[in-house]
Amino acid sequence: MIPHQFYSQLAVLGLLWLCVMLHLAWPSRGVTPQTQPAKPITPRRQRSTDPKPFTGLTHKPHCALGAQEAAPPQASPPVRPDPMPPTHRRPRTVDTSRHFCPHTGCRYRGWLGLGNLRANGHPSGGPWRQFHCTACQGYFLETHGTIFHGKQAPVELIVRVVACLAEGLGIRATARVFEVDAHTVLHWLVEAAEQRRAFSAHFLCDLHLEQLQLDEVYAVLRDRKAGAINDDEAIQRLERSPSWVWTAMDPRSKLLVVVDVGCRTLAMAQRVVHQVTRVLAPGWVPLLLTDGLKDYGTALLTHFGHWIHPERRQDKGPRPKPRWMPLPALLYAQVVKSYRRRRLVGVTHRVVFGTRLAIEQVLARCGWTIKTAFVERLNLDLRQRVAAIGRRVNTLCQGEAGLRDQ
Ligand SMILES: [Zn+2]
């Protein structure tokens, strides 16, 4: 049997050894300054935060929408037919100058105020008038081409349902409020969205916007075109499927210029910027602010760029290749938001194209700095986002409503 004392002595020896080893291994302060030549402490070189000047690309980046539009079918513009001669009948009291004949094959199709339409009264006591085209002898209702066409439901109900959707109430909830079938609400929504698209395509053009902010909101949304998937599935998706809503907006007028839905990719950034260029007046370049998504830079460069032929550096040798460079008027800054636990904790910005001074001058005209301008926009986003999360609504509809309002 081994006595206890043996163990305690072993422990004491072990502690002693540990003390000696620690003493040797510890770097002592007072000794040996000579053994190691003292190096001056150099501060670590800070990487310059100023971006290097952009040297241009050797090829223009690709934009799918731009390539599609590059070769439009060149159809000759239609010739305006002569106005209809006046007849000996009693003068017309109903104004038909805001309508046109919708029948394909009619020469007067699409032309307003040529006197080819006659109002016929209300067929079977309905709320809408019937029009008769004296050119093609065709008949059509005055609601043709509107959301009210072929609907039994009262106008006020449809308007209120769409307004409710636009305010952010979900499809099922709206259906419950107005005691309408959810599928009906969905159809109305799809139709209203198509009308909205046509409306904004017609009215939003040739804009001279001083600044534009582009952003993506993660939201609950739809990707449905009528008939692509069945209604139940669509309603489910509409209320559940997460997606990105891309927006471009003038922060001063709060005019929503572009609303699009898609994933967060370069192709989508190109698509959004392409749509922005289409609503702007030709040659107009606004100040652009986006979040920190890198793809915006490429997309903006694609649409607001031009070829530069650099000067020869030496007399001999081949000419340097042309470079695709941003337009001199292009001002673009990124505002990078940092979040902690979903709360905004910091905003930093970096100037990508143009000079900081030029950007600040544009912003100063409305009393903003780069930071505040984006926060203005951000507040709006957050409001939308809160609604989207809290009430599980269709954020796209809010955007569309905003667009329609504007
Ligand atoms: Zn006609």
Side-chain angles (χ1 to χ4, degrees):
M1 192 178 156
I2 304 161
H4 276 291
Q5 282 169 347
F6 176 78
Y7 282 117
S8 55
Q9 276 171 7
L10 205 66
V12 168
L13 271 175
L15 277 171
L16 267 172
W17 176 82
L18 201 68
C19 285
V20 170
M21 288 309 286
L22 271 175
H23 179 77
L24 288 178
W26 213 259
S28 50
R29 263 180 230 160
V31 282
T32 65
Q34 296 91 352
T35 50
Q36 290 176 344
K39 280 183 196 162
I41 299 164
T42 47
R44 278 182 76 193
R45 261 190 76 200
Q46 288 262 315
R47 278 184 67 190
S48 163
T49 48
D50 297 331
K52 285 176 200 150
F54 185 70
T55 51
L57 305 173
T58 48
H59 61 274
K60 186 185 171 187
H62 174 76
C63 169
L65 265 186
Q68 254 178 40
E69 281 177 11
Q74 288 292 321
S76 55
V79 185
R80 184 173 189 253
D82 296 329
M84 281 278 162
T87 54
H88 299 297
R89 298 167 60 141
R90 129 184 103 78
R92 294 162 189 170
T93 50
V94 179
D95 178 26
T96 60
S97 65
R98 309 298 302 158
H99 294 267
F100 61 83
C101 174
H103 294 294
T104 44
C106 177
R107 279 197 312 131
Y108 286 77
R109 183 180 187 220
W111 294 100
L112 294 174
L114 293 182
N116 60 315
L117 297 181
R118 181 178 301 140
N120 261 357
H122 304 254
S124 47
W128 305 111
R129 279 184 185 280
Q130 187 194 52
F131 287 130
H132 173 60
C133 173
T134 53
C136 69
Q137 305 301 327
Y139 293 90
F140 63 98
L141 279 177
E142 63 178 326
T143 51
H144 189 98
T146 72
I147 188 174
F148 306 114
H149 188 66
K151 294 205 173 47
Q152 298 295 317
V155 173
E156 191 178 331
L157 178 67
I158 299 176
V159 169
R160 286 194 185 279
V161 163
V162 173
C164 215
L165 290 169
E167 282 293 333
L169 200 60
I171 291 173
R172 285 181 213 272
T174 309
R176 283 192 295 272
V177 169
F178 293 99
E179 297 177 340
V180 185
D181 188 51
H183 299 142
T184 313
V185 176
L186 175 69
H187 281 291
W188 291 353
L189 170 66
V190 171
E191 281 178 54
E194 266 160 30
Q195 296 279 348
R196 190 283 301 169
R197 232 168 274 134
F199 175 87
S200 55
H202 183 76
F203 282 99
L204 289 183
C205 55
D206 274 352
L207 300 177
H208 292 82
L209 300 174
E210 215 166 57
Q211 4 171 337
L212 267 180
Q213 294 184 0
L214 283 70
D215 203 2
E216 324 87 58
V217 190
Y218 189 68
V220 186
L221 254 236
R222 71 148 140 179
D223 52 356
R224 177 182 195 267
K225 193 85 186 126
I229 40 176
N230 74 45
D231 289 354
D232 286 319
E233 216 179 302
I235 293 175
Q236 282 248 322
R237 274 216 222 166
L238 259 162
E239 295 191 335
R240 301 274 153 75
S241 88
S243 194
W244 290 93
V245 185
W246 295 66
T247 57
M249 138 182 278
D250 175 20
R252 288 183 81 185
S253 63
K254 304 283 186 282
L255 174 67
L256 254 171
V257 180
V258 174
V259 186
D260 208 339
V261 185
C263 16
R264 210 159 174 260
T265 57
L266 172 63
M268 200 57 211
Q270 293 277 28
R271 200 184 144 90
V272 171
V273 175
H274 185 88
Q275 292 176 70
V276 167
T277 54
R278 262 193 312 199
V279 296
L280 291 175
W284 182 264
V285 185
L287 161 66
L288 290 137
L289 294 173
T290 72
D291 60 12
L293 186 66
K294 282 212 179 85
D295 296 332
Y296 276 125
T298 316
L300 289 173
L301 186 63
T302 311
H303 295 89
F304 297 102
H306 62 160
W307 287 108
I308 290 256
H309 298 274
E311 290 294 311
R312 228 182 263 247
R313 289 212 190 127
Q314 294 111 18
D315 289 341
K316 288 177 190 174
R319 269 187 83 91
K321 278 185 181 164
R323 320 279 300 183
W324 183 259
M325 292 285 285
L327 291 171
L330 179 61
L331 300 176
Y332 169 48
Q334 288 190 339
V335 180
V336 185
K337 299 166 272 184
S338 43
Y339 290 93
R340 192 176 300 141
R341 290 184 192 167
R342 292 194 183 174
R343 286 178 62 189
L344 184 72
V345 290
V347 180
T348 53
H349 44 271
R350 63 173 168 262
V351 175
V352 183
F353 301 130
T355 63
R356 183 171 293 260
L357 183 72
I359 291 176
E360 276 165 2
Q361 272 170 357
V362 175
L363 287 172
R365 266 179 248 156
C366 36
W368 284 339
T369 63
I370 297 181
K371 281 184 195 178
T372 57
F374 212 76
V375 170
E376 291 267 310
R377 174 76 184 84
L378 186 75
N379 289 339
L380 195 96
D381 281 353
L382 284 179
R383 228 179 303 137
Q384 287 182 336
R385 214 174 302 200
V386 167
I389 294 163
R391 289 187 287 148
R392 203 197 275 164
V393 294
N394 191 328
T395 307
L396 180 66
C397 282
Q398 295 192 337
E400 281 173 356
L403 193 54
R404 210 179 301 123
D405 289 348
Q406 299 284 355

